[in-house]
Amino acid sequence: MAVKQSPKSPALESVPMKEPTAVLSVQDSPFARKLSAFVRLSQEEMEAMSDLYRRRRHFTVGSDMIHQGQKDQCAYVLASGWASSYKILPDGSRQIVDFQIPGDFLGLRSVLFRTSDHNVEPLTPVQASEVQQKDLLDVFGRTPRLATAVLWAASRDEAMVVERLVDLGRRSASVRMAHFLLELGSRLRMVGLADKTGYACPLSQYLLADALGLSAVHVNRVLRELREEGLLTFQRGRVSFDDYDGLVAHAEFDRSYLDLDGPLLG
């Protein structure tokens, strides 16, 4: 369901931030945890990754980080906070494509393409590291295994887009919602921000409706049904898995497309 989007100012406000050493530790970062799921990163690769963390920025809610149609757009590595990627249609309506969490690369296509094909908007206050094309190509040239890990992450993102197409085309509203919230939980567990009991989630019913092709009223009804069936509760900014195995069965959730079984490259 496309949603009308109010015009945004083209100006992008971002400021460099000095953060505590613990936050800046690459080895403990969500990005490193995510890539380490595919490649066992060496010290040299960790140091190369730190080069992608040099320019830290802070973004406020509602100020787009990446603009559809902009040329020479940089990318970002999300260190903290949540964001959404979306497309604006010619009639001004909006379609959310996905939500980004800590550890995700934002706008990788925007760096490699001549023109950005989507927008990225913070849903919460965001800390992210700016990555320019020359930085990315330099790191990839020095550390091919790290480049392979980023390619893996991009491929996994593509697999999630395929699942979203199946959501919109074939899954019922209840199964669609359960599958999506389980997927988010698996993504957050990979970077240490969730467990099998649930996770903190800033998404409103309005945002879920936009992303899943439902109305806000339908989202409310589906969440109530899942709660009454004892499967999950989404209240006060937290998704709680009341019956994780039952929810997996209900959603027919096969997480193999997320490739979470450990590093393939030692």
Side-chain angles (χ1 to χ4, degrees), residues 23-247:
V23 176
L24 289 172
S25 173
V26 173
Q27 189 162 354
D28 296 331
S29 70
F31 188 48
R33 290 184 181 186
K34 179 178 178 178
L35 296 190
S36 295
F38 181 73
V39 174
R40 204 176 306 278
L41 298 170
S42 67
Q43 183 60 39
E44 178 187 2
E45 287 152 356
M46 284 290 185
E47 292 173 358
M49 188 183 294
S50 69
D51 290 341
L52 300 179
Y53 269 60
R54 287 184 293 116
R55 283 183 295 274
R56 186 63 61 91
R57 299 288 184 263
H58 175 266
F59 297 90
T60 58
V61 176
S63 298
D64 281 357
M65 304 166 66
I66 293 172
H67 296 272
Q68 183 176 329
Q70 184 172 336
K71 298 182 182 298
D72 300 321
Q73 174 72 61
C74 62
Y76 298 92
V77 176
L78 190 57
S80 67
W82 288 50
S84 70
S85 53
Y86 67 95
K87 296 274 290 187
I88 292 292
L89 279 65
D91 65 358
S93 61
R94 179 191 71 176
Q95 176 64 55
I96 290 179
V97 178
D98 200 4
F99 300 107
Q100 284 72 46
I101 62 172
D104 285 350
F105 228 124
L106 310 183
L108 184 58
R109 293 194 310 278
S110 300
V111 169
L112 300 177
F113 288 5
R114 292 179 177 85
T115 304
S116 177
D117 66 344
H118 65 290
N119 302 275
V120 174
E121 174 188 13
L123 300 177
T124 69
V126 157
Q127 295 177 24
S129 295
E130 181 184 284
V131 180
Q132 297 179 357
Q133 185 186 70
K134 60 182 178 58
D135 302 322
L136 191 64
L137 296 180
D138 176 65
V139 167
F140 283 2
R142 288 189 286 125
T143 54
R145 279 164 43 95
L146 184 57
T148 302
V150 172
L151 176 61
W152 165 83
S155 299
R156 199 193 66 150
D157 290 346
E158 182 180 352
M160 291 191 295
V161 171
V162 171
E163 289 296 323
R164 200 73 64 251
L165 290 173
V166 176
D167 277 343
L168 297 173
R170 294 298 177 184
R171 292 184 175 124
S172 69
S174 178
V175 170
R176 191 183 309 179
M177 179 66 69
H179 194 281
F180 177 73
L181 294 178
L182 283 166
E183 178 187 275
L184 265 180
S186 295
R187 292 169 62 191
L188 289 162
R189 284 176 69 184
M190 174 181 282
V191 296
L193 297 175
D195 56 34
K196 288 189 73 171
T197 68
Y199 52 91
C201 181
L203 303 182
S204 66
Q205 292 185 10
Y206 177 84
L207 290 169
L208 287 172
D210 193 341
L212 296 178
L214 303 169
S215 69
V217 172
H218 205 171
V219 166
N220 183 274
R221 182 163 59 246
V222 167
L223 290 174
R224 184 177 67 248
E225 291 170 356
L226 291 171
R227 183 177 69 251
E228 291 173 350
E229 292 169 11
L231 296 175
L232 72 81
T233 303
F234 189 1
Q235 291 180 337
R236 293 183 290 277
R238 181 170 177 82
V239 174
S240 297
F241 296 136
D242 303 321
D243 178 359
Y244 183 83
D245 293 336
L247 190 65

